[in-house]
Amino acid sequence: MAVKAPAPPAMKLTDAIAVDAEPYPFEFTPATCALLIIDMQRDFLEPGGFGEMLGNDVSKLRSTIAPNRKLLGVWRTHGLQVMHTREGHRPDLGCLPPAKKARGRNRTSIGDHGPMGRILVRGEAGHDIIPELYPLFGETVIDKPGKGAFYATDLHAIMQYRGIRQLIVTGVTTEVCVNTTVREANDRGYDCLVPEDCVGSYFPNLHAAGLEMIKAQGGIFGWVTHSKSILAALQ
Ligand code: C5J
């Protein structure tokens, strides 16, 4: 009679685990590491929003959805902390710097009406997170007026109160909001790991450069990996 192998011991969330990464393995403690998903909003990933208004082909970002969904699903299964961000502005546009409104000299700009409501305005359809990655009740959603998730938000305070010391940062776009957030986090003393397949850009060369800048010089801003390495470490 075949003897069933004993089940492996369940992962202890307070034990550090290592993920294969560049420039060297990323060690993290699941209980104090949050998954931070940046700006996976309809305004960036669907036609008719802010991304398209800037002249971008929004379909270029959609390859990030499946790996984010997989990682998010596993992260949730382990009961780990999840946070989402949304870039956007108050309906009265009080938090929109005039320079940001004017940038690009486009015919339509932030706050104007588009097919998904007012562009990059909180509460509008385009500002919402795509259905595939929709936050669950209890997951933190940070509304940010800028590119970095720490600027003019309570993200740092929330991380302090919850004892979060490390971040897995995913989302869009690699060289803009992901990079800015990783740099802000780094300056505040947090370690960031970026899975390259879970971040995306309208521009492949800037995506590559964005990742390169994070991991260069011994990980000057953080670490880069592939989501399959994180999933393997979470087995
Ligand atoms: C941009 C972002 N690209 N979420 N925002 O304007 O990266």
Side-chain angles (χ1 to χ4, degrees), residues 38-39 44 50 54 87 144 147 172-173 176-178 202:
I38 304 287
D39 300 357
F44 291 104
F50 182 60
L54 296 176
E87 180 178 347
K144 63 187 185 63
K147 304 305 182 195
V172 296
T173 62
V176 184
C177 292
V178 171
Y202 304 115

Side-chain angles (χ1 to χ4, degrees), residues 7-216:
M11 188 180 74
K12 254 180 85 188
L13 302 183
T14 47
D15 284 350
I17 54 179
V19 176
D20 191 23
E22 289 183 288
Y24 53 85
F26 179 78
E27 279 184 22
F28 78 101
T29 306
T32 54
C33 180
L35 175 62
L36 179 65
I37 306 178
I38 304 287
D39 300 357
M40 290 296 278
Q41 295 161 257
R42 298 185 64 197
D43 254 322
F44 291 104
L45 288 118
E46 293 184 12
F50 182 60
E52 194 174 73
M53 184 208 85
L54 296 176
N56 299 307
D57 171 4
V58 293
S59 69
K60 294 227 165 81
L61 301 186
R62 298 195 66 85
S63 62
T64 61
I65 298 174
N68 263 292
R69 219 168 127 82
K70 181 98 194 271
L71 181 59
L72 176 61
V74 171
W75 204 259
R76 281 173 173 162
T77 304
H78 286 286
L80 303 177
Q81 306 196 62
V82 179
M83 299 190 287
H84 307 255
T85 71
R86 299 184 296 204
E87 180 178 347
H89 298 277
R90 298 159 50 99
D92 64 7
L93 303 184
C95 62
L96 174 62
K100 186 174 178 184
K101 169 91 177 152
R103 193 73 53 79
R105 296 179 170 174
N106 295 301
R107 203 159 28 90
T108 47
S109 61
I110 298 169
D112 292 346
H113 288 272
M116 291 194 287
R118 293 177 68 202
I119 294 169
L120 227 55
V121 168
R122 296 175 190 164
E124 301 288 338
H127 177 262
D128 214 349
I129 292 174
I130 57 168
E132 296 91 330
L133 299 172
Y134 212 75
L136 294 182
F137 180 77
E139 291 177 355
T140 298
V141 179
I142 304 283
D143 278 323
K144 63 187 185 63
K147 304 305 182 195
F150 290 86
Y151 170 67
T153 73
D154 46 10
L155 176 58
H156 186 59
I158 291 170
M159 289 178 65
Q160 294 288 307
Y161 302 153
R162 296 191 179 158
I164 298 168
R165 306 174 57 84
Q166 295 177 301
L167 293 169
I168 310 279
V169 185
T170 74
V172 296
T173 62
T174 314
E175 76 280 14
V176 184
C177 292
V178 171
N179 235 269
T180 308
T181 298
V182 167
R183 289 166 186 236
E184 287 182 331
N186 182 63
D187 278 347
R188 287 164 177 77
Y190 300 115
D191 292 330
C192 293
L193 175 65
V194 179
E196 60 192 12
D197 54 322
C198 294
V199 294
S201 169
Y202 304 115
F203 309 99
N205 57 327
L206 298 185
H207 171 77
L211 294 172
E212 204 56 52
M213 281 190 276
I214 289 168
K215 67 185 177 187

